[in-house]
Amino acid sequence: MHHGYYGPDGKRKVEHRQAQLDMIEAMLEWGQAPTRLQRFLDAGCGVGGSSRYLALKHPEARGLGLTLSPVQARNGQRYNQEAGVGDRVEIRAQDVFSLDPAAEGTFDLVWSMESAEHMADKEALMELFLAMLRPGGQLIMATWCHRPVPPALTEDDQRVLGKIGELYHLPPLVSVPDLKAAALKAGFTNVATDDWSAAVEPFWGAVISSGLDPRNWPGLIRAGASTIKGAWAMKYMKEGFRSGAIRYGVLHATKPAI
Ligand SMILES: C[S@@+](CC[C@H](N)C(=O)[O-])C[C@H]1O[C@@H](n2cnc3c(N)ncnc32)[C@H](O)[C@@H]1O
């Protein structure tokens, strides 16, 4: 349930599902993920695709995935069993903001893949992630942003961003520099950001084509009205990437060792 990665300039010809796996690998590499991973938090995990990927890549690692959706948590737990990682990866329906570092313990890696855009208060989120990491632990985040300001967002930028926010139920987005400022303010070091919009842009063409394929219509209809509304929002994502109003922001940051 996240964008595909099509090489740094978006020119790599790769099948859309593979591109989603490539995104995880590209983020781990760029994000300076720990080479020995013992415990990770997948904050806003969907059905836990990244968690299973991490658990399979690191056979000694244990993971906790959180989603707001009990349906995603239930399905994710089942997929974990099917993938043979059910004893190492737990997926819970729980708000990340209810996490208690004292009760939960800390993690080597906080993985935040296309979920932070759902969380309005980025400063509080960065503080929470810092608290959830062990000293020296790493935060890796990919999230939808608006373009840097100034110059101020135009009316047209605001129209596209407003439509995306409305159709995907998002609070107002922030810019990549805003994300970086929030991480620094929370006390992270080694904070780096980048704009991967070019690398992900082909994704929406691939998704729209799959939506137009009549073989996928029964599934879309079964998924219900809100999914169809979400599918409609794709045209605004395409428009937003084309105009530059929307940006695919990535960030990595380290919790100071002491
Ligand atoms: C677009 S999905 C991304 C899922 C997943 N990270 C992936 O890459 O496939 C966004 C996810 O964020 C979760 N989410 C949003 N706000 C959350 C919160 N406050 N606490 C926990 N999960 C949250 C949603 O439940 C959903 O699973």
Side-chain angles (χ1 to χ4, degrees):
M1 294 168 59
H2 57 247
H3 281 74
Y5 179 81
Y6 300 83
D9 55 5
K11 299 246 162 71
R12 193 181 291 164
K13 293 281 169 254
V14 52
E15 193 269 325
H16 147 67
R17 272 168 194 266
Q18 182 59 45
Q20 289 180 300
L21 296 175
D22 292 351
M23 170 58 80
I24 301 177
E25 205 45 61
M27 283 297 290
L28 288 171
E29 194 186 330
W30 176 83
Q32 303 179 355
T35 42
R36 285 199 59 236
L37 188 60
Q38 289 188 322
R39 194 160 183 242
F40 64 84
L41 172 66
D42 187 353
C45 66
V47 292
S50 297
S51 287
R52 280 183 292 285
Y53 189 94
L54 288 168
L56 291 169
K57 189 179 170 83
H58 294 275
E60 74 290 2
R62 305 184 71 81
L64 171 63
L66 299 185
T67 166
L68 290 180
S69 157
V71 176
Q72 288 183 345
R74 219 170 28 243
N75 287 337
Q77 287 280 77
R78 179 160 51 83
Y79 300 150
N80 286 348
Q81 294 293 346
E82 288 166 8
V85 299
D87 55 337
R88 292 190 292 124
V89 179
E90 181 190 2
I91 297 186
R92 284 186 214 152
Q94 182 182 339
D95 188 334
V96 293
F97 285 102
S98 71
L99 276 171
D100 174 5
E104 211 67 62
T106 56
F107 297 84
D108 306 309
L109 170 69
V110 171
W111 177 260
S112 169
M113 170 61 69
E114 296 189 35
S115 53
E117 58 269 38
H118 294 274
M119 304 170 196
D121 188 342
K122 300 298 187 278
E123 288 183 4
L125 186 63
M126 291 295 179
E127 281 167 19
L128 170 73
F129 286 166
L130 191 80
M132 297 312 300
L133 283 166
R134 66 157 168 80
Q138 191 73 349
L139 165 64
I140 302 181
M141 176 183 282
T143 187
W144 303 7
C145 293
H146 66 64
R147 70 164 169 76
V149 289
L153 296 173
T154 63
E155 261 181 39
D156 212 41
D157 291 338
Q158 285 174 8
R159 177 187 57 80
V160 173
L161 293 167
K163 281 287 179 195
I164 291 168
E166 184 193 324
L167 289 162
Y168 285 120
H169 310 285
L170 300 176
L173 299 180
V174 301
S175 69
V176 176
D178 292 337
L179 270 188
K180 182 170 189 172
L184 287 170
K185 186 163 180 218
F188 278 103
T189 54
N190 182 32
V191 179
T193 53
D194 203 354
D195 178 340
W196 282 17
S197 306
V200 303
E201 224 228 272
F203 180 73
W204 292 99
V207 178
I208 289 171
S209 309
S210 90
L212 292 175
D213 183 340
R215 283 173 301 180
N216 294 328
W217 291 354
L220 261 179
I221 291 164
R222 266 198 313 278
S226 64
T227 302
I228 291 171
K229 264 176 90 182
W232 184 244
M234 289 184 232
K235 96 184 184 81
Y236 294 107
M237 288 300 285
K238 251 189 124 168
E239 189 183 339
F241 274 126
R242 202 170 43 236
S243 72
I246 194 145
R247 302 294 171 96
Y248 195 87
V250 294
L251 173 142
H252 70 74
T254 309
K255 177 164 177 167
I258 307 202

